[in-house]
Amino acid sequence: MPRPTQPILSTRNITDAALDAVDATGDFTMPGIAKQLNVTPSSLYTHISGRSEIVELMRIRVMSSISVPHPPAGWSERISAWGWAYRRAAVEHWRLIPLLMTRSVRTEVTFDIDTALVQAFSDGGFNSTDTRHAISTLDSLVLGSVVKLSTPDVAWTQSSNPSEVTREAANPLRTDDTFEFGLRTLIAGWMAQCVVRLYTESHSDLPVTSR
Amino acid sequence: MPRPTQPILSTRNITDAALDAVDATGDFTMPGIAKQLNVTPSSLYTHISGRSEIVELMRIRVMSSISVPHPPAGWSERISAWGWAYRRAAVEHWRLIPLLMTRSVRTEVTFDIDTALVQAFSDGGFNSTDTRHAISTLDSLVLGSVVKLSTPDVAWTQSSNPSEVTREAANPLRTDDTFEFGLRTLIAGWMAQCVVRLYTESHSDLPVTSR
């Protein structure tokens, strides 16, 4: 008879246990994770420095699940696919967001964004500063759209029925429409910048009002 | 000698006290507010139904501080001004955002968005559905940009120094640049939609590939 396998404690299963707890309850505790993994709380600290690092590891876990299609897909198509994949991951783990905002200590952990996403902006003609801004903008749109999942939508007419507005707010499909609109607007804006750039580069002898 | 004035308990000063507490500590309690206002906790309930309504009232307070310039400013200029005013208010009261996400009960309270903002999109040629999506998109960009104030920025090169990235994250000026880029991109995207619409409307006899 095989002996029961002993779970090997690792950064990975600590992160898994914490993310499960956050998804279910909105928070996690070190004793709770230890209990879940059938280890003592103190043994967790041989793998991670503390609560703050676990929050960071969860964020990295969620981000690293997102991938970008490769060429021949066009640059804007690749960016759009990344945006949607990120949105889906963020909706799934939305309760992680308040936790990211309320932690008091910043750790030294970070993550590397998929280089394929950087390549997509580069293929669209963006320099490194604009690429960084553009990725942050997309990040903001996704995070903000998920914050809005749990807040009532703006009531922009006097006649709006408040209860209808607040009931609508919990519906991800409604916010999917809005996200689609927002993503399309960003890409249209980036394409417009791209067109202006191509035009001014190929007509450098012509007067242009701005570039 | 005038008698000391007794503070009149109102929805307004309850909201003020709660917002002060949230800005300072990230949260508020009913006993804390009562103590601050020198009243008994139970007297608060003659003005508000509970914690959830106070959260909603704080959100309304912050939103109603934002105004839109009027014509002759162009539609995109008015939208941009609203976006920046909202961003400033959201940065000032950023600790309210996790609270909005973590409350468990939705109230029936809502607020009316400045009709001048709706007018600005209308002047840009947007119908009511697109106006609603556009305002929600702007809302997402602002909220997301503020969530990012308290989270490390994406590290998009292999060579990034993690400690540098996380140190950068607390700097609102850096995210102001990114917000400016994002807002400019949205407006460029909306202008592109506007141009396509004007073109197709004035050249209805010409074939167009899409509208």
Side-chain angles (χ1 to χ4, degrees):
Chain A
M1 231 180 119
R3 293 164 63 189
T5 52
Q6 183 75 16
I8 300 161
L9 192 60
S10 66
T11 305
R12 186 183 174 85
N13 58 21
I14 292 170
T15 309
D16 284 342
L19 195 52
D20 285 348
V22 169
D23 288 345
T25 69
D27 208 350
F28 71 96
T29 62
M30 300 302 272
I33 291 176
K35 195 179 171 192
Q36 180 68 29
L37 296 174
N38 204 23
V39 297
T40 59
S42 61
S43 63
L44 297 174
Y45 292 92
T46 58
H47 295 273
I48 46 90
S49 61
R51 198 178 150 76
S52 210
E53 187 180 350
I54 297 181
V55 172
E56 208 46 33
L57 287 168
M58 288 190 284
R59 192 170 71 88
I60 294 166
R61 163 71 51 84
V62 172
M63 294 306 292
S64 63
S65 70
I66 304 159
S67 66
V68 188
H70 287 265
W75 67 269
S76 63
E77 201 183 324
R78 282 177 268 154
I79 291 165
S80 177
W82 186 85
W84 274 108
Y86 183 15
R87 155 98 179 166
R88 279 189 297 271
V91 166
E92 189 180 345
H93 304 291
W94 68 273
R95 299 183 98 166
L96 186 55
I97 296 176
L99 221 59
L100 289 172
M101 293 189 72
T102 48
R103 72 202 153 145
S104 54
V105 183
R106 288 200 186 81
T107 61
E108 300 292 300
V109 186
T110 186
F111 72 99
D112 292 303
I113 204 85
D114 196 329
T115 51
L117 181 61
V118 176
Q119 187 60 48
F121 279 102
S122 173
D123 291 351
F126 291 87
N127 66 26
S128 63
T129 303
D130 283 356
T131 296
R132 187 172 186 129
H133 282 318
I135 292 174
S136 286
T137 300
L138 201 46
D139 192 18
S140 288
L141 184 74
V142 171
L143 292 173
S145 78
V146 175
V147 169
K148 280 167 64 59
L149 274 182
S150 55
T151 61
D153 200 15
V154 287
W156 61 279
T157 61
Q158 300 289 339
S159 61
S160 288
N161 177 345
S163 62
E164 199 175 319
V165 171
T166 49
R167 225 180 307 116
E168 252 194 319
N171 178 3
L173 291 179
R174 176 186 61 77
T175 65
D176 266 359
D177 283 352
T178 296
F179 182 72
E180 205 277 327
F181 178 94
L183 188 57
R184 191 156 31 90
T185 302
L186 283 183
I187 286 173
W190 288 326
M191 281 186 160
Q193 290 175 36
C194 187
V195 166
V196 169
R197 195 184 312 108
L198 288 173
Y199 181 86
T200 54
E201 279 167 8
S202 62
H203 296 76
S204 53
D205 51 334
L206 294 177
V208 288
T209 52
S210 72
R211 54 180 302 178
Chain B
M1 230 179 120
R3 291 164 63 189
T5 54
Q6 184 74 15
I8 300 161
L9 193 58
S10 66
T11 305
R12 185 184 174 84
N13 58 22
I14 292 170
T15 310
D16 284 342
L19 194 54
D20 285 348
V22 169
D23 288 345
T25 68
D27 208 348
F28 71 95
T29 63
M30 300 301 272
I33 291 176
K35 195 178 171 194
Q36 180 70 27
L37 297 174
N38 203 24
V39 298
T40 59
S42 61
S43 63
L44 297 174
Y45 292 92
T46 59
H47 295 274
I48 46 91
S49 61
R51 196 178 151 77
S52 211
E53 188 182 348
I54 297 181
V55 172
E56 209 45 34
L57 286 167
M58 287 190 285
R59 193 171 69 88
I60 294 166
R61 162 72 49 85
V62 172
M63 294 306 290
S64 63
S65 69
I66 304 159
S67 65
V68 188
H70 288 265
W75 66 271
S76 63
E77 202 183 323
R78 282 177 269 154
I79 291 165
S80 177
W82 186 84
W84 273 109
Y86 184 14
R87 155 97 180 167
R88 279 188 298 269
V91 167
E92 189 181 346
H93 303 292
W94 68 272
R95 299 183 98 166
L96 187 56
I97 297 176
L99 221 59
L100 289 172
M101 294 190 72
T102 49
R103 73 202 154 147
S104 53
V105 184
R106 287 200 187 80
T107 61
E108 301 291 299
V109 187
T110 185
F111 72 99
D112 293 303
I113 205 86
D114 196 327
T115 50
L117 181 61
V118 176
Q119 187 60 49
F121 280 102
S122 174
D123 291 351
F126 292 86
N127 66 26
S128 63
T129 304
D130 283 356
T131 297
R132 190 175 183 124
H133 282 319
I135 292 174
S136 286
T137 300
L138 202 45
D139 193 17
S140 288
L141 184 72
V142 171
L143 291 173
S145 77
V146 175
V147 169
K148 282 169 61 60
L149 274 182
S150 55
T151 60
D153 200 15
V154 287
W156 58 280
T157 60
Q158 299 288 339
S159 60
S160 286
N161 177 347
S163 62
E164 199 176 318
V165 171
T166 50
R167 226 180 305 119
E168 250 194 320
N171 179 4
L173 291 180
R174 175 186 62 77
T175 65
D176 267 359
D177 282 352
T178 296
F179 182 73
E180 205 278 326
F181 179 94
L183 188 57
R184 192 156 29 90
T185 303
L186 283 182
I187 287 173
W190 288 326
M191 281 186 159
Q193 289 175 36
C194 187
V195 167
V196 169
R197 195 185 311 110
L198 288 173
Y199 182 86
T200 54
E201 279 166 8
S202 61
H203 296 76
S204 53
D205 52 331
L206 294 177
V208 288
T209 51
S210 72
R211 54 180 301 176

